[in-house]
Amino acid sequence: KGDTPPASPTDGQPVTLASPTTSTAEDAGLDKTTRYSYAVFTRDRKDNTNPTATTLTARTRDNNDSVCAQPLTQDTTWSPDYRDVYVIDCQFVIPDGVTLTIEPGTVVKSFDTGVTVAAGGVLTAVGTGEAPVVFTDWRDDTVGGDTNGDGNDSTPENGSADAILLGQSEGSWQQMTLIHVNMRYVNPVTSYNYDNRSSKLAQVRITDSRFVAQDDVPGDPHASITCQDATVTGSTFTGVALNLSYC
């Protein structure tokens, strides 16, 4: 594991000792979403080893789309290098003291509720102009493929699912940063407001992002944000109502 390939045949963990004509090798039992480094050393028929190796470093993937099997307990990164799509089909919470970082090109699909940023939690979704982070309905087949596996039997509706929920602050702020993020169909951000409790200490930054309700599709998505401080720059809300309270 790690970013440094073995320096010699006696370093690291042996994977295979192959015959001279072997062109492939298999390393089984790897951990998901983990970085591994390899060095391939050649040898002749007299067992003389070439000290110069061919090296490879790669990350393994997780083919289980749902994130709910792995609740967040530590700082975590979501990346298209790990999964094609991240599906939220449960109450998925970023707890106090934990940061979820979402890298460029990542696709996140919501079944109903989205990512909840609890008091003390941090969500940082930073894409690029060429590779934005995308949040959408899980029935949206136009990005990330046919995630629910029903072909054309279902279509997404505007506002039928949430992307991000800011939980009640409970005396401690939470932080949400969205840069080059595209949201479609979903309610972009919804704040907890109940019984005089809210996300009123939240720190919110939204930059160069796009929030779009799709034409000719039922529903009215909205972004309702209660926070202590909000900065919204270079972003567009098309068919999506934006309401900022206390910010």
Side-chain angles (χ1 to χ4, degrees):
K1 295 180 180 180
D3 294 320
T4 305
S8 74
T10 57
D11 292 337
Q13 180 68 36
V15 174
T16 184
L17 183 62
S19 67
T21 58
T22 296
S23 59
T24 62
E26 179 179 348
D27 191 7
L30 302 181
D31 294 332
K32 297 177 180 179
T33 64
T34 303
R35 206 166 174 83
Y36 289 89
S37 295
Y38 298 90
V40 179
F41 296 89
T42 58
R43 61 192 179 104
D44 60 22
R45 295 182 182 275
K46 294 184 178 181
D47 288 338
N48 296 310
T49 300
N50 185 342
T52 301
T54 299
T55 60
L56 169 68
T57 298
R59 289 185 286 192
T60 55
R61 296 172 61 84
D62 187 346
N63 292 326
N64 179 17
D65 291 335
S66 175
V67 301
C68 297
Q70 298 174 325
L72 290 187
T73 58
Q74 60 185 358
D75 292 350
T76 300
T77 298
W78 289 357
S79 167
D81 290 340
Y82 300 150
R83 298 187 189 188
D84 293 330
V85 177
Y86 289 81
V87 175
I88 304 172
D89 53 2
C90 64
Q91 188 72 29
F92 188 78
V93 179
I94 305 174
D96 182 17
V98 172
T99 297
L100 174 61
T101 301
I102 306 180
E103 294 188 340
T106 301
V107 176
V108 181
K109 294 189 178 183
S110 296
F111 175 77
D112 184 10
T113 58
V115 177
T116 297
V117 189
V122 178
L123 171 62
T124 302
V126 180
T128 66
E130 295 74 25
V133 174
V134 176
F135 286 81
T136 188
D137 186 292
W138 85 311
R139 295 168 295 182
D140 183 0
D141 298 345
T142 64
V143 58
D146 183 15
T147 302
N148 63 351
D150 70 346
N152 296 320
D153 290 345
S154 65
T155 56
E157 295 182 5
N158 290 321
S160 62
D162 296 328
I164 299 168
L165 172 67
L166 297 177
Q168 63 182 30
S169 295
E170 297 179 344
S172 177
W173 58 265
Q174 61 264 78
Q175 182 176 323
M176 180 190 73
T177 300
L178 308 178
I179 302 175
H180 285 297
V181 171
N182 289 353
M183 294 197 186
R184 38 199 285 168
Y185 296 109
V186 293
N187 298 314
V189 184
T190 302
S191 286
Y192 182 95
N193 282 292
Y194 180 73
D195 195 22
N196 294 322
R197 292 174 292 175
S198 70
S199 59
K200 62 184 178 182
L201 297 180
Q203 309 292 312
V204 174
R205 179 188 176 193
I206 302 173
T207 303
D208 295 329
S209 295
R210 306 289 179 264
F211 307 91
V212 179
Q214 302 299 309
D215 293 336
D216 302 322
V217 176
D220 297 303
H222 61 274
S224 178
I225 302 174
T226 301
C227 61
Q228 184 180 70
D229 182 66
T231 302
V232 181
T233 58
S235 300
T236 59
F237 294 78
T238 304
V240 177
L242 172 64
N243 179 44
L244 299 176
S245 300
Y246 299 106
C247 301

